[in-house]
Amino acid sequence: MTRFDTIVVGAGISGSTAARLLHRAGQRVVVLEARDRVGGRVWTVRTDGTILDVGASWIHGIDNNPLADAVRAFGIRTAEFTVGSYQPDGRPIAYYSPAGIKLSDADAAQFAADIHHFDAGLAATVAEVPPGTSFEEAVEVTLRQLDWGRDRLDRVREFVGHRAEEQLGVGPGHLDAHGLDDDSIDGDEVVFPDGYDEVALQLTDGLDVRLEHVVTHVQWGEGGVRVHCGSQSFSADRAVVTVPIGVLKSGNFTIEPPLPEPVSGALGRLEMNAFEKVFLRFPIAFWDENVYAVRQQGEAGRWWHSWYDVTLPGGRPTLLTFAAGPSARHTRHWSDGRIEDSVVRALRGIYGDRVVRPESVYVTRWQDDPFSYGSYSYMTVGSRTGDHDDLATPIGGVLHLAGEATWTDDPATVTGAMKSGHRVAQRILERSVPYRLIWDSLAR
């Protein structure tokens, strides 16, 4: 049996980054991936000439971002699309009132100004609330400080509630007050006209990646690690485990001995979300022209409140909406057809008979994916910001956890995943490693 220097469990962005850097440092590295593809929760589906990023879609802020630097170095095409962090303005957004009437430019600007004013107050509130405060409670504390009318307060309340749902796939009552602390964007956001999976393919080029190797058991101790995949086992001096926390908490993945503190405590306070994408391709575009997004206010937008025009140049008109948090859980077992009907009814509340039936619908099912059990992580009420970093605490000198859930500044993002993979490689090599080594084969 070949003994490796490092076994990396998972060929997502964090695992691929770590493996790439360790391989370039001369280590014997094997990557064990349960799926039949690389990328993990970065997944591009190509059908009938349509390219859909059904997992991650955005780079949230390209300034001072090693992920964006890697994408540029790899020559991967991107397109600016700065609405992925639920901004109230900054790019053209069509807002519709609870009655389905389009807001004037002045009314939309006033609404956005209300959100910005509220956000400043919310930041101050979150900095002062005691541990164990939910995001919803922090929102209500902040709203009580505003001398605004009921309707004005309701519009802000629902907007920030939808932000929690769309950003982290959880209702505001189940998210810790600090859950959106790091929701900041530096620079434009971009998407991938040719598919986000090009990043994963570039990162894993030249690596020893074993697909369809479902790891179920990791044993660690003073002598190193042994990793089990069905009837196969692999041994190494150390392992980097990058599976999503939904898998770590599922009971289908065993680490022996059990994870010690502070890793186990951090894992217990973080959770996997409920967040699904719904792509609808139409024969014609019936919605507002030259907008990035359409948003419905009020009860009519309780579930389906935001639609994003993700039509590719020369492609069929396509809208993307999200089932996030409560709506994702409620519709989890609905058929694609039932979800389609529900979304179309919501659109007709805005556009009436102009809405035509979609030609095709694609609904993701990350909650039921046995290799993720959700889309990404969030902080439950009572969790601490430091839980992300604590989850990555090296164990016994031989075991490391990595992935988006282990990065404090950009959790729940591909950027955070890449940074966590870079960090674990530095820890294993016991030296500083320039980010440019991820993409520049000539760098030293």
Side-chain angles (χ1 to χ4, degrees):
M1 177 188 298
T2 300
R3 183 178 175 91
F4 296 92
D5 294 313
T6 302
I7 297 171
V8 176
V9 181
I13 300 302
S14 60
S16 299
T17 300
R20 185 177 179 87
L21 291 172
L22 295 173
H23 173 73
R24 288 191 160 192
Q27 285 208 359
R28 292 166 299 169
V29 182
V30 64
V31 183
L32 305 178
E33 168 55 50
R35 304 180 189 276
D36 61 359
R37 58 175 178 80
V38 299
R41 286 167 283 165
V42 171
W43 182 21
T44 305
V45 172
R46 297 173 176 84
T47 57
D48 300 326
T50 300
I51 297 174
L52 302 177
D53 275 320
V54 300
S57 293
W58 278 271
I59 297 180
H60 295 294
I62 60 175
D63 293 351
N64 301 311
N65 187 334
L67 173 61
D69 293 341
V71 166
R72 283 189 288 266
F74 289 146
I76 300 172
R77 193 163 62 107
T78 62
E80 184 271 327
F81 198 63
T82 310
V83 290
S85 296
Y86 213 72
Q87 297 94 327
D89 57 1
R91 297 295 190 274
I93 299 173
Y95 282 100
Y96 285 80
S97 74
I101 306 300
K102 186 177 181 180
L103 269 61
S104 67
D105 290 346
D107 287 343
Q110 179 59 59
F111 172 68
D114 285 351
I115 299 298
H116 291 305
H117 181 81
F118 170 85
D119 283 344
L122 179 63
T125 298
V126 170
E128 297 173 356
V129 295
T133 301
S134 72
F135 183 77
E136 184 176 56
E137 290 168 329
V139 166
E140 293 304 318
V141 168
T142 308
L143 289 174
R144 288 196 292 269
Q145 299 169 5
L146 301 174
D147 186 21
W148 294 350
R150 179 176 177 179
D151 182 71
R152 194 175 177 188
L153 293 172
D154 284 347
R155 298 291 75 78
V156 172
R157 177 185 290 110
E158 71 189 16
F159 182 90
V160 296
H162 290 329
R163 176 188 283 162
E165 293 167 356
E166 190 163 299
Q167 286 297 94
L168 289 173
V170 60
H174 297 283
L175 177 67
D176 190 82
H178 293 275
L180 286 173
D181 273 2
D182 299 302
D183 181 34
S184 61
I185 302 299
D186 295 322
D188 287 342
E189 296 180 298
V190 298
V191 293
F192 294 80
D194 303 316
Y196 213 147
D197 64 348
E198 289 295 321
V199 178
L201 292 170
Q202 291 275 8
L203 289 174
T204 54
D205 183 40
L207 299 182
D208 181 0
V209 180
R210 314 283 178 94
L211 299 178
E212 297 182 279
H213 278 59
V214 181
V215 173
T216 57
H217 191 187
V218 176
Q219 295 173 293
W220 62 276
E222 292 184 2
V225 297
R226 185 174 293 274
V227 175
H228 301 274
C229 306
S231 60
Q232 290 183 283
S233 65
F234 298 79
S235 62
D237 295 338
R238 66 193 65 83
V240 177
V241 174
T242 71
V243 300
I245 61 171
V247 175
L248 289 175
K249 302 179 77 166
S250 68
N252 298 327
F253 191 97
T254 303
I255 295 179
E256 184 184 9
L259 296 171
E261 288 288 355
V263 180
S264 60
L267 179 61
R269 289 183 292 271
L270 298 172
E271 192 55 80
M272 209 66 174
N273 70 2
F275 183 88
E276 307 294 354
K277 292 183 172 183
V278 183
F279 292 92
L280 303 102
R281 190 178 71 185
F282 295 92
I284 59 171
F286 51 80
W287 51 90
D288 301 71
E289 294 182 353
N290 301 316
V291 300
Y292 283 48
V294 176
R295 292 201 174 123
Q296 169 70 66
Q297 298 178 327
E299 179 61 22
R302 181 165 61 94
W303 283 3
W304 315 113
H305 49 78
S306 299
W307 294 267
Y308 300 91
D309 187 343
V310 295
T311 306
L312 293 173
R316 293 290 183 90
T318 305
L319 290 178
L320 165 65
T321 191
F322 302 111
S327 63
R329 297 190 186 282
H330 189 91
T331 61
R332 179 174 182 174
H333 301 298
W334 285 16
S335 67
D336 289 2
R338 187 177 178 186
I339 290 174
E340 173 189 334
D341 289 342
S342 182
V343 175
V344 168
R345 281 197 301 272
L347 285 167
R348 284 180 175 159
I350 297 175
Y351 298 111
D353 292 340
R354 291 164 56 188
V355 179
V356 297
R357 299 299 303 190
E359 294 178 327
S360 65
V361 176
Y362 189 102
V363 181
T364 65
R365 302 288 179 178
W366 290 104
Q367 295 171 89
D368 298 315
D369 188 312
F371 305 131
S372 65
Y373 294 112
S375 291
Y376 43 90
S377 64
Y378 71 90
M379 296 171 59
T380 63
V381 178
S383 59
R384 305 186 296 262
T385 302
D387 283 339
H388 297 291
D389 282 340
D390 285 347
L391 191 61
T393 303
I395 301 166
V398 299
L399 183 63
H400 304 261
L401 302 188
E404 53 85 8
T406 71
W407 192 260
T408 294
D409 293 337
D410 297 290
T413 67
V414 181
T415 297
M418 174 170 278
K419 288 181 175 179
S420 78
H422 171 263
R423 176 179 60 191
V424 77
Q426 290 192 129
R427 287 176 172 173
I428 291 170
L429 296 173
E430 298 183 325
R431 65 173 185 266
S432 176
V433 177
Y435 273 116
R436 66 180 183 276
L437 269 180
I438 296 172
W439 58 85
D440 186 355
S441 60
L442 299 179
R444 292 291 185 269

